[in-house]
């Protein structure tokens, strides 16, 4: 009975609503969930031990009475003829069985349920699970991974430590397919349902999903992609397993009718060729989407972008840089490396210390919120599916380390940061990314930074505060540049030409993080306060 009550409590808890925290958008905040889960496991084990202790007491009592009653019933009159036995029988039935009843009815789950109730309010919700599922599909597309690679956890850059490797069960693959199906994404529905079916056929067992359910999804998803013949094949396989399946029987007739219709209209041979061509195309390509540069963006993320010619590359240098003999850097200049020439992008090495980076993360982590983008239609900040991260803003007055970092940016760039935006700290989530965008306000966004009153964003300074095992590059889609994260470095570029016009070559993106945890912080420097633009050695060649 106690166990039944426990199950009821757990089910009720999982229906409670909680504030949506977008956990999936920040690996940094998701780490807290691991410790929450660890605490719950400890609490659950305590409950199990308490239940086991209770059952052990009941078992000992039952074993003792089993032996006693077996002997007593051999000669009931002789047994009860002994006055002590008669007394103990009266006592057992009058008091000891009542005590046993109380022990059986004792609910050992109170502490666990109380802990779970407290922690449940901080759990992810359905949106987080869906967001994480979409992230896996985004990684699958961007890095051209097959479902088998993801399902087995064999990802490039992943730790060789086996404890870091998780596999997807047939049920997990089915759930991914269902998320895609709910979004009318039949391309990914097919891929993940096929993987789920494959794992079941290889002998994996599941209590929640079966081949019939998967084949039902598959027949419809391939039909929606125009592959009638394959839809018919999946339907026939389903009916072999369950001949009375109502929907499948209806689909069978419909698919056969449509195929027959095609044969009559175009001729059998031509229809079959068209079907094969359609099926092959649908298996290879996913549908086009809203981002015209999607292919180029993903190629750059994979390191397959345009390569700079040897002649241009020979003009890129590494140097010790003191910003025209700035007093702070004359004796200890920083290492500056050319990453790209047009537009000019430079990287500064070892410009922020480990201690400074950790302090910035500590300051930002409690304040991380879902990152927003500027909506040109409304002029407001809003969340967007193409920006998956959390960010926090740190003012110079909040901690000396922030003030020190701001001053360092000013010293190295020669630009006034007093009118710059606060230091933005960002942590990327599962498959975290920021699709191609401009940092500056375009002509069709005249009010982009009107509220700030500091003009347009003249330049961007970007700190990398973590290494990333795989993925996570900053790519410039217009020119083909790819900048890979390196902890303790910063990259810098101008967003505006000297005329004040936006430099459209600076359109850039943060590639999805495949494996690892990506932390960055950036400073957007504005026009106001710049009496003149110091190029600090970054003269551009057009």
């Amino acid at each position: 009975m106690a166990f039944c009550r426990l199950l009821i409590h757990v089910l009720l808890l999982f229906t409670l609503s909680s504030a949506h925290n977008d956990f999936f958008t920040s690996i940094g905040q998701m780490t807290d969930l691991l410790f929450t889960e660890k605490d719950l496991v400890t609490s659950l084990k305590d409950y199990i031990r308490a239940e086991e202790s209770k059952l052990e007491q009941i078992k000992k009592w039952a074993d003792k009475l089993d032996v006693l009653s077996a002997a007593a019933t051999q000669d009931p009159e002789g047994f009860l003829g002994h006055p002590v036995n008669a007394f103990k029988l009266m006592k057992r039935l009058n008091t000891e069985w009542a005590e046993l009843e109380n022990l059986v009815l004792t609910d050992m789950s109170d502490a666990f349920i109380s802990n779970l109730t407290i922690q449940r309010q901080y759990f992810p919700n359905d949106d987080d699970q869906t967001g994480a599922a979409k992230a896996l599909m985004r990684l699958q597309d961007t890095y051209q991974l097959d479902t088998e690679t993801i399902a087995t956890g064999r990802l490039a850059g992943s730790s060789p430590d086996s404890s870091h490797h998780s596999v997807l069960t047939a049920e997990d693959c089915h759930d991914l397919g269902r998320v895609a199906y709910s979004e009318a994404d039949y391309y990914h529905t097919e891929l993940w349902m096929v993987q789920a079916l494959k794992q079941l056929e290889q002998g994996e067992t599941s209590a929640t999903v079966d081949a019939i359910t998967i084949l039902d999804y598959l027949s419809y998803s391939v039909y929606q992609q125009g592959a009638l013949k394959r839809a018919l094949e999946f339907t026939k396989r389903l009916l072999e397993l369950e001949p009375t399946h109502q929907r499948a029987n209806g689909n069978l007739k419909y698919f056969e009718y449509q195929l027959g219709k095609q044969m009559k209209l175009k001729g059998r041979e031509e229809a079959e060729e068209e079907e094969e061509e359609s099926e092959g195309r649908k298996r290879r390509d996913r549908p086009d989407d809203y981002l015209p540069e999607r292919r180029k963006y993903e190629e750059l993320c994979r390191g397959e972008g345009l390569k700079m010619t040897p002649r241009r590359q020979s003009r890129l240098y590494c140097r010790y840089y003191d910003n025209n003999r700035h007093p702070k850097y004359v004796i200890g200049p920083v290492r500056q490396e050319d990453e790209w020439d047009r537009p000019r992008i430079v990287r500064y090495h070892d410009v922020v210390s480990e201690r400074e980076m950790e302090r910035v993360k500590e300051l930002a982590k409690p304040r991380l919120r879902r990152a927003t983008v500027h909506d040109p239609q409304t002029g407001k900040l809003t969340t967007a599916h193409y920006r998956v991260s959390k960010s926090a803003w740190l003012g110079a007055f909040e901690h000396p380390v922030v003030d020190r970092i701001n001053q360092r940016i000013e010293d190295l760039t020669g630009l006034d940061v007093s009118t710059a935006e606060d230091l933005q700290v960002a942590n990327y989530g599962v498959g975290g990314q920021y699709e191609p965008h401009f940092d500056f306000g375009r002509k069709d966004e005249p009010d982009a930074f009107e509220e700030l009153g500091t003009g347009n964003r003249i330049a961007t300074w970007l700190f990398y505060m973590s290494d990333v095992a795989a993925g996570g590059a900053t790519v410039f889609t217009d020119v083909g540049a790819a900048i890979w994260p390196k902890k303790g470095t910063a990259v810098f570029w101008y967003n505006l030409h000297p005329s004040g016009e936006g430099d459209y070559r600076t359109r850039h993106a943060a590639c999805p993080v495949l494996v690892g945890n990506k932390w960055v912080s950036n400073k957007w420097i504005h026009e106001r306060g710049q009496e003149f633009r110091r190029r600090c050695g970054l003269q551009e060649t057009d």
Side-chain angles (χ1 to χ4, degrees):
M1 187 176 292
F3 179 69
C4 292
R5 284 203 299 272
L6 171 63
L7 284 178
I8 292 170
H9 277 303
V10 171
L11 289 172
L12 286 172
L13 284 166
F14 273 76
T15 63
L16 293 175
S17 61
S18 60
H20 186 208
N21 292 315
D22 289 327
F23 282 110
F24 74 97
T25 63
S26 169
I27 295 293
Q29 285 194 329
M30 284 176 66
T31 57
D32 293 339
L33 296 178
L34 288 176
F35 291 100
T36 297
E37 188 171 50
K38 183 179 180 181
D39 178 65
L40 284 174
V41 170
T42 301
S43 180
L44 180 60
K45 285 185 174 181
D46 289 342
Y47 159 68
I48 292 170
R49 279 192 291 270
E51 287 285 7
E52 288 174 340
S53 176
K54 183 177 83 171
L55 288 173
E56 186 62 28
Q57 293 179 61
I58 296 169
K59 185 176 182 298
K60 286 180 180 179
W61 204 83
D63 289 344
K64 182 182 73 173
L65 285 186
D66 186 39
V67 173
L68 180 64
S69 60
T73 54
Q74 295 276 333
D75 180 11
E77 289 186 3
F79 180 82
L80 291 174
H82 196 296
V84 172
N85 289 340
F87 166 74
K88 287 180 72 67
L89 175 63
M90 296 302 103
K91 180 188 175 188
R92 280 198 306 275
L93 292 175
N94 184 49
T95 61
E96 291 182 12
W97 275 97
E99 291 171 358
L100 179 66
E101 180 184 17
N102 289 334
L103 176 61
V104 170
L105 291 175
T106 301
D107 190 350
M108 313 302 291
S109 66
D110 286 349
F112 170 67
I113 290 297
S114 176
N115 191 20
L116 183 58
T117 302
I118 293 169
Q119 300 291 2
R120 176 61 185 165
Q121 61 186 312
Y122 305 114
F123 278 17
N125 61 18
D126 288 344
D127 289 338
D128 287 300
Q129 184 173 332
T130 298
K134 289 180 178 179
L136 280 181
M137 293 178 227
R138 180 164 59 250
L139 293 172
Q140 177 183 5
D141 294 339
T142 303
Y143 298 106
Q144 295 184 338
L145 305 173
D146 56 44
T147 53
E148 180 79 14
T149 298
I150 298 175
T152 56
R154 297 194 300 263
L155 301 178
S158 58
S159 170
D161 185 351
S162 59
S163 65
H164 290 181
H165 287 190
S166 291
V167 298
L168 295 176
T169 63
E171 180 185 345
D172 294 331
C173 296
H174 167 263
D175 288 346
L176 285 166
R178 283 186 59 191
V179 169
Y181 183 85
S182 68
E183 301 284 323
D185 177 4
Y186 302 113
Y187 169 77
H188 287 107
T189 303
E190 177 189 356
L191 293 178
W192 285 104
M193 290 299 178
V194 166
Q195 181 65 30
L197 185 62
K198 177 182 175 182
Q199 291 182 206
L200 288 179
E201 290 173 342
Q202 288 175 345
E204 185 179 322
T205 58
S206 172
T208 57
V209 64
D210 55 35
I212 293 170
T213 303
I214 293 170
L215 287 166
D216 196 16
Y217 276 108
L218 276 172
S219 64
Y220 187 76
S221 62
V222 297
Y223 163 69
Q224 286 292 332
Q225 295 178 81
L228 265 175
K229 190 175 180 181
R230 291 188 70 218
L232 182 60
E233 289 171 359
F234 283 130
T235 303
K236 287 180 177 178
R237 286 180 63 184
L238 190 162
L239 289 171
E240 287 174 5
L241 299 173
E242 188 178 329
T244 59
H245 195 286
Q246 187 174 357
R247 183 167 50 248
N249 276 297
N251 288 343
L252 178 69
K253 294 176 183 177
Y254 178 75
F255 294 152
E256 286 178 336
Y257 169 75
Q258 290 294 331
L259 278 172
K261 193 174 174 183
Q262 282 186 7
M263 298 290 186
K264 288 179 183 178
L265 289 174
K266 299 182 180 179
R268 183 182 222 37
E269 190 174 329
E270 184 182 344
E272 287 180 352
E273 287 177 0
E274 185 174 299
E275 174 74 11
E276 288 173 5
E277 182 182 345
S278 173
E279 289 172 10
R281 183 174 63 253
K282 294 297 181 182
R283 283 195 297 271
R284 285 195 305 273
D285 299 330
R286 69 183 190 270
D288 293 334
D289 65 9
Y290 58 88
L291 190 63
E293 62 208 300
R294 171 77 59 192
R295 186 181 298 276
K296 187 173 183 180
Y297 161 54
E298 293 181 350
E299 285 175 351
L300 287 169
C301 290
R302 294 192 298 269
E304 300 171 0
L306 296 172
K307 303 299 180 184
M308 189 179 288
T309 64
R311 184 177 179 183
R312 282 178 65 188
Q313 201 164 10
S314 68
R315 297 172 181 168
L316 303 181
Y317 296 97
C318 295
R319 64 187 67 82
Y320 283 103
Y321 179 75
D322 62 12
N323 192 15
N324 296 320
R325 299 187 63 78
H326 189 285
K328 289 184 180 178
Y329 299 104
V330 171
I331 296 177
V334 299
R335 286 186 296 148
Q336 185 193 69
E337 177 185 0
D338 295 331
E339 287 281 0
W340 205 258
D341 56 352
R342 301 189 296 269
R344 193 70 180 280
I345 305 168
V346 296
R347 187 195 296 263
Y348 295 92
H349 291 265
D350 302 318
V351 288
V352 59
S353 69
E354 182 72 28
R355 181 177 294 182
E356 288 173 328
M357 288 185 284
E358 289 308 308
R359 181 53 59 91
V360 167
K361 292 176 191 177
E362 288 172 11
L363 292 169
K365 194 172 180 180
R367 294 155 56 178
L368 289 173
R369 297 292 181 270
R370 179 73 185 267
T372 57
V373 297
H374 181 263
D375 186 338
Q377 303 299 322
T378 64
K380 306 284 186 183
L381 292 175
T382 182
T383 60
H385 64 88
Y386 55 82
R387 189 178 190 186
V388 182
S389 64
K390 283 190 175 182
S391 63
W393 298 85
L394 302 179
F397 62 89
E398 295 185 54
H399 195 279
V401 72
V402 182
D403 187 41
R404 191 161 62 244
I405 286 172
N406 286 345
Q407 187 60 54
R408 191 173 305 150
I409 295 170
E410 180 168 305
D411 293 340
L412 288 171
T413 62
L415 296 173
D416 186 351
V417 300
S418 64
T419 58
E421 295 171 50
D422 285 343
L423 188 71
Q424 181 182 222
V425 183
N427 179 228
Y428 289 80
V430 184
Q433 64 160 3
Y434 189 180
E435 288 182 357
H437 62 281
F438 298 102
D439 282 351
F440 62 88
R442 275 88 65 209
K443 288 183 177 179
D444 58 347
E445 303 173 294
D447 303 328
F449 306 110
E450 186 177 20
E451 293 180 4
L452 299 177
T454 53
N456 213 339
R457 288 172 174 167
I458 193 173
T460 296
W461 177 283
L462 176 66
F463 282 114
Y464 292 113
M465 299 196 300
S466 67
D467 292 315
V468 180
T474 305
V475 298
F476 291 74
T477 52
D478 190 66
V479 297
I483 316 296
W484 299 92
K486 185 177 179 182
K487 190 175 184 179
T489 69
V491 291
F492 175 77
W493 67 88
Y494 280 97
N495 296 306
L496 305 180
H497 289 294
S499 64
E501 293 290 316
D503 188 344
Y504 286 81
R505 299 172 301 176
T506 62
R507 184 169 173 82
H508 61 285
C511 294
V513 177
L514 178 58
V515 176
N517 187 9
K518 182 181 178 183
W519 283 89
V520 299
S521 59
N522 66 277
K523 194 78 172 173
W524 281 311
I525 305 169
H526 283 248
E527 291 176 296
R528 185 176 173 184
Q530 317 305 334
E531 295 179 0
F532 58 91
R533 285 184 62 177
R534 291 187 184 177
R535 285 292 180 175
C536 39
L538 306 185
Q539 289 83 9
E540 297 187 36
T541 53
D542 293 311

